[in-house]
C-alpha cells in the first residue's frame, strides 16, 4: 500500500510541478517561433529530461544517504535560475529584431532545452527530496516517489509545451509581439523570484 501511495503521489505532484510559473516561463520563451506542435512537445520533453537528470543526479544520493542540501546552496541555485529566466526573457525580446533561420539546428535547440531544464532541476532537487522523504516512511518508497515525480514532471512539461504552443499559435497576437510578451513575462517572473530570495 505504501508503494501505491508513493506512486500516486509522485504522479500527482510531478504533474503539478511542471506547471509552476518559472518552468512555464522558461519553456515559453522557446516556443513563439515554433510552428510545429510536435516540435514544441519535443522541446518540452527535452526540458523535462534535463530537469529529471538534475534531480536524479542530486536527489538520489541525498535520499540514499539521508542527507539535505545546505540552505545556502539551494538559495544560490534558485538565484541562478532567476537570473536565467531574466536572460531567457531578454533573449526572446531581442530575437524579435532578428530573422529566424530557415533551417534551425534542431539538435542544438533541444540540447539548449536540456541544459535549461537541468539548471532548473538543480534548483528544485532539494525540494523534491524533501517531498519524497515527507511522503514516504521508507527509503524504498522515497526512491519510488522520486522516480515517478521525475517522470511525471517530464511528461507533464511535454504536454504543457504543446498546450502553450497551441495557445500561442491560436492567439490574436502574432509574430514578434508574442516573443516580446513571452520574454517580458519571463523577465518579470525572474525578477520577482530574485526579489523574494533577497527578502528571505
Amino acid at each position: 500500500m505504501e508503494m501505491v501511495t508513493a506512486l500516486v503521489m509522485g504522479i500527482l505532484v510531478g504533474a503539478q510541478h511542471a506547471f509552476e510559473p518559472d518552468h512555464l516561463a522558461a519553456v515559453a520563451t522557446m516556443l513563439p517561433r515554433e510552428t510545429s506542435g510536435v516540435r514544441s512537445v519535443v522541446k518540452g520533453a527535452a526540458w523535462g529530461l534535463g530537469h529529471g537528470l538534475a534531480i536524479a543526479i542530486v536527489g538520489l544520493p541525498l535520499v540514499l544517504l539521508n542527507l539535505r542540501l545546505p540552505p545556502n546552496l539551494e538559495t544560490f541555485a534558485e538565484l541562478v535560475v532567476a537570473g536565467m529566466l531574466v536572460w531567457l526573457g531578454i533573449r526572446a525580446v531581442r530575437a524579435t529584431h532578428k530573422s529566424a533561420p530557415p533551417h534551425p539546428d534542431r539538435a542544438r535547440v533541444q540540447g539548449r532545452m536540456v541544459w535549461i531544464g537541468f539548471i532548473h532541476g538543480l534548483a528544485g532537487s532539494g525540494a523534491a527530496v524533501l517531498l519524497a522523504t515527507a511522503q514516504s516512511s521508507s527509503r524504498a518508497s522515497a526512491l519510488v516517489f522520486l522516480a515517478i515525480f521525475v517522470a511525471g514532471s517530464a511528461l507533464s512539461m511535454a504536454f504543457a509545451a504543446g498546450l502553450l504552443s497551441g495557445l500561442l499559435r491560436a492567439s490574436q497576437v502574432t509574430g514578434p509581439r508574442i516573443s516580446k510578451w513571452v520574454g517580458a513575462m519571463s523577465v518579470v517572473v525572474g525578477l520577482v523570484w530574485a526579489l523574494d530570495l533577497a527578502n528571505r
Side-chain angles (χ1 to χ4, degrees):
M1 184 63 183
E2 182 183 346
M3 288 298 181
V4 174
T5 301
L7 180 66
V8 172
M9 289 301 298
I11 293 172
L12 293 177
V13 177
Q16 179 272 333
H17 182 70
F19 285 87
E20 292 181 359
D22 58 303
H23 297 165
L24 294 176
V27 173
T29 61
M30 307 293 287
L31 298 179
R33 291 189 170 193
E34 186 57 75
T35 58
S36 167
V38 173
R39 287 196 294 268
S40 296
V41 170
V42 171
K43 285 182 176 180
W47 185 98
L49 173 62
H51 184 271
L53 285 174
I55 290 180
I57 290 171
V58 177
L60 288 178
L62 292 178
V63 170
L64 290 172
L65 299 175
N66 196 26
L67 300 175
R68 295 286 184 272
L69 281 178
N72 290 342
L73 185 58
E74 288 191 60
T75 300
F76 175 75
E78 291 184 37
L79 189 59
V80 169
V81 172
M84 184 182 67
L85 288 173
V86 173
W87 172 76
L88 286 172
I90 293 173
R91 184 176 175 273
V93 173
R94 290 182 61 189
T96 62
H97 304 293
K98 300 177 182 178
S99 299
H103 302 289
D105 187 341
R106 301 294 178 191
R108 183 178 178 183
V109 170
Q110 291 167 16
R112 185 184 303 129
M113 293 299 295
V114 171
W115 278 109
I116 293 171
F118 188 88
I119 294 172
H120 257 92
L122 290 177
S125 56
V129 172
L130 284 175
L131 278 170
T133 53
Q135 296 290 338
S136 310
S137 58
S138 69
R139 190 171 297 172
S141 59
L143 290 173
V144 169
F145 176 94
L146 195 62
I148 300 303
F149 171 85
V150 168
S153 60
L155 291 173
S156 297
M157 183 48 69
F159 171 79
L163 180 63
L164 279 173
S165 178
L167 291 173
L168 290 173
R169 292 197 307 273
S171 69
Q172 298 300 313
V173 185
T174 58
R177 291 181 63 191
I178 290 181
S179 290
K180 289 180 179 179
W181 183 84
V182 169
M185 177 188 68
S186 183
V187 170
V188 169
V189 171
L191 290 176
V192 169
W193 195 358
L195 288 173
D196 179 64
L197 290 170
N199 292 327
R200 286 181 187 178

